[in-house]
Amino acid sequence: MTTLTTLSINFEGWCQIRLPTNPDPADEPRGVSGYTFALAGEPDLDRVIRFHDPVTPRTHAEIPDVRVRSVTIGGKESKNSPLVDGPVNLLNEKGQPPKHDTDPTGPKFEERNYILTLPGDQPIDPFFLQVKSKDNTIELARRQVLQRGEPETPIWEIDRDTLKKFGSISFIMDSGDVAEATGILGEAGRVGFRRKRLGQIQADLDKANGEKASPVVIAALEKRLRELELDQHDPQDRRTVALGACETRNFSLSGKDPWVKGEDRLGGTVDRQQDWLTEFWFGGWDCDGLVCYVKGMLAIPFRLNG
Amino acid sequence: MIGSQPPGIYTRDDLIYALSLAAELEHGICLQYLYAAYTLKTTADGLTPKQAAMVNQWETDILEIARQEMGHVGLVNNLLTAIGGSPHFHRPNFPQKDRYGKTNIQLQLKPLTLQTLQDFIAFETPQPPPKAKGIVATPVPTPFDYANIQALYQFIKEGFDRLEDKLGKKKIKETLFIGPPEAQIDSKRIGLRNERPIYDVKLSRVTNLKEARKAIEQIVEEGEGSRKGHDDSHFKRLKLIEKQYLRTERKFVPYRDVIDNPATRENRLRWSDEANLITDPFTLKVAHLSNAAYEILLLTLIRFYGHIDATEAELATLQYTSFFPLMVMVVRPAAELLSTLPAGQELHGAKRAGPPFEFYGHVQLLPHRRSAWRVLYEKLDEMAVYCAELAQEAKNSAKKEIHAAAPRLEFMRQNTRRIANDFRSAMGVS
């Protein structure tokens, strides 16, 4: 007789999202009317959420790297779990890490300028969460199914109320969790962050001009500088406000045949039939660096050996 | 008042006439900006990354100006509603070279050549106050002439002042501002945060003379700038683009080689020899899709700005059908696609097309609520069906340039179908 308990995997880190923003159309490739852009020399925007392996990461921005921070089994911390420090990833439709430089099948926020949901209610599609050990011997991965029992239904055919279940369950403008994770605290912190970045980009631009750097590098820095200047005197501007905002999501993963490898090393057996549960937040959106912080957990029904 | 008097605005009727004209002009000018912005090149058209970055910034600025022009249309419609008029969204098809009297305003759809840019600057250039000429007023709207759009607004502002003198400070609110304030659209209704501009557009309700003056001042300042200096005025931003444009010494062409004033019907050519018929069969269909989306957008906006008996939920549906997503996810992508598709080899050689923003009849208020929802749904549904056919045709096409349009048309197919279905469900259309 084995005991059914919960394997909780807590993860966090920075991720990259190269997405156009309202009022640009969702498939705008370069960014025109919103506040995010593909800079000179960068590939087109593809909306893909990348937990690792960023596309043309920007100077001074945090490097995406989402990893397991801790593991508990039945509420008790498993300090020596082989999953600790292992990579956490969101996979594409094919169950692979998102491709470079663009990946139409990668995980994306799907709102489509109010067509599918209102802002904040948008689900991530596909949502295929993968957790691995550092040595790659353990893998746990499962996909979310938006329309239960109909995994093939495309997102644009799923009704608003169903999609909303996979959107944010809370939205906090000035989040303590974000402040703790990013070190950006309150309005002063947000304004200071943008001001510091402005100074850094100005210094980079001066240096690039002095060294007669390539026109492409200079054009990219000029664009960043221009955008950073826009909200310097307006702490309520969405570019600044987003640094403190936090969106939390909570839903079950019900995809058939989850991928489970190396569970013996965890000391038990993963339940493949019951839903898994995930709860996480995205916050601290740095629209200059196109990165934000993600923190959350994956809870898996688990039977301890013996 | 019948008799000899200086030109200008003396009555409610005069104000309604002048504001309707202002709405028509702002609408037409907005579309000219959109045409110039949507037909700009990107790296996909062979620009270097540096050139593309500069042109992308021009597009950003011009689209922001266009959004503010849309905001001006909204403000003018609020003014119309405030004084008992009706929202005005109709305008004549392009081109219009001589319609606006002695003004410098020629409404034409053209790519962003240096000449086009300088024409835009001319619209927004600060102008001296208009000079008066003697006329005889009549019981119908008083005729007046205006040299430019700023002069038109000056006439309107003076009209409000004159009516204040005539009606008296105490009585003007109840006598002139008779429209229901709740029928107007402001930033609070369309935005997420009270009073802040949303996507660079600020809309306010007008319920008294002070608010009417403020609305007119906002329109004029956003265009030409204020005497105190308005760094973000359209005039100053366009002058900056002109400076950069001249600095390139025309070493590259920033716009796609598109036809001017595209049209889809031969009868349009009878009205103007400067309209250009799109003859490529596939492009013509995309132009029809573009025109259909634009027409539905306007019908929805008229119903939104002219709401009488719509419930809050129905108003929200109108809003979430029009601003987003029709404008952004259908009208704009269709327009951008058209600027990559051939206009028609026989008449236009290698030139590309562009969005015609064309009417086939008058667009006007659908006054009866239940039938309005039905009519709008049918149009949305027809558009979605048509879009699906075009997406399939593009996918199957052996022609490279048509096949290249397939992914965007497929995205539009999904989205137009969803818009139609959600509208039907939200409005209770059986």
Side-chain angles (χ1 to χ4, degrees), chain A residues 200-225:
Chain A
Q200 290 168 326
I201 301 301
Q202 182 65 66
D204 288 354
L205 181 60
D206 292 344
K207 192 174 168 214
N209 280 321
E211 292 172 352
K212 299 207 182 313
S214 93
V216 176
V217 169
I218 291 172
L221 288 168
E222 284 174 344
K223 179 65 179 174
R224 286 178 78 179
L225 193 64

Side-chain angles (χ1 to χ4, degrees), chain B residues 172-273:
Chain B
I172 189 166
K173 186 169 178 0
E174 64 194 57
T175 315
L176 183 62
F177 295 93
I178 55 173
E182 64 276 11
Q184 298 179 41
I185 304 299
D186 60 8
S187 295
K188 192 178 169 189
R189 176 171 282 287
I190 61 171
L192 300 174
R193 281 179 278 168
N194 193 6
E195 289 305 310
R196 283 182 65 83
I198 180 159
Y199 307 127
D200 316 302
V201 174
K202 186 176 181 187
L203 276 175
S204 314
R205 293 185 195 207
V206 176
T207 58
N208 55 43
L209 190 58
K210 191 179 164 191
E211 289 167 352
R213 285 181 177 137
K214 202 173 152 193
I216 294 165
E217 272 168 29
Q218 183 191 328
I219 293 170
V220 173
E221 283 191 15
E222 284 178 353
E224 67 178 63
S226 70
R227 288 185 185 85
K228 293 170 197 161
H230 195 281
D231 286 337
D232 290 335
S233 73
H234 300 177
F235 173 70
K236 286 196 175 167
R237 278 186 283 179
L238 291 167
K239 286 297 281 183
L240 183 64
I241 295 174
E242 184 192 34
K243 197 173 157 188
Q244 292 173 341
Y245 207 122
L246 291 168
R247 209 183 288 153
T248 66
E249 296 172 340
R250 306 197 191 189
K251 284 179 183 160
F252 73 98
V253 178
Y255 52 88
R256 296 185 180 126
D257 187 17
V258 293
I259 54 175
D260 296 343
N261 304 310
T264 64
R265 295 274 166 90
E266 268 186 57
N267 63 1
R268 289 275 314 283
L269 307 184
R270 279 188 232 136
W271 300 99
S272 168
D273 55 8

Side-chain angles (χ1 to χ4, degrees), chain B residues 301-365:
Chain B
L301 283 176
I302 295 170
R303 241 312 178 157
F304 190 52
Y305 275 93
H307 64 267
I308 309 152
D309 52 356
T311 64
E312 277 300 313
E314 287 168 339
L315 278 178
T317 300
L318 288 173
Q319 179 185 337
Y320 296 136
T321 304
S322 53
F323 295 107
F324 291 140
L326 270 176
M327 254 184 219
V328 173
M329 292 290 269
V330 190
V331 172
R332 176 167 156 185
E336 289 173 345
L337 264 185
L338 281 165
S339 73
T340 68
L341 293 169
Q345 179 71 32
E346 271 182 36
L347 286 179
H348 310 297
K351 277 187 178 287
R352 309 284 101 178
F357 298 120
E358 192 175 24
F359 295 124
Y360 302 104
H362 275 265
V363 287
Q364 47 204 352
L365 176 72

Side-chain angles (χ1 to χ4, degrees), chain A residues 22-28 31-33 112-116 156 158 160 215 223 226 234 236 238, chain B residues 49-50 56-57 59-61 63 67 193 196 199 320 324-325 328-329 332 408 411 414-415 418 422:
Chain A
N22 285 334
D24 270 331
D27 61 345
E28 162 56 43
V32 179
S33 299
R112 302 194 185 184
N113 305 78
Y114 294 56
I115 289 179
L116 299 183
W156 62 92
I158 299 174
R160 212 168 258 249
K223 179 65 179 174
R226 186 181 172 122
D234 183 4
Q236 291 307 306
R238 57 182 174 156
Chain B
K50 189 183 179 220
N56 177 277
Q57 187 61 52
E59 187 179 355
T60 297
D61 287 339
L63 285 182
R67 283 200 301 282
R193 281 179 278 168
R196 283 182 65 83
Y199 307 127
Y320 296 136
F324 291 140
V328 173
M329 292 290 269
R332 176 167 156 185
R408 199 147 208 200
F411 199 50
Q414 297 167 12
N415 295 330
R418 179 61 181 250
D422 279 0

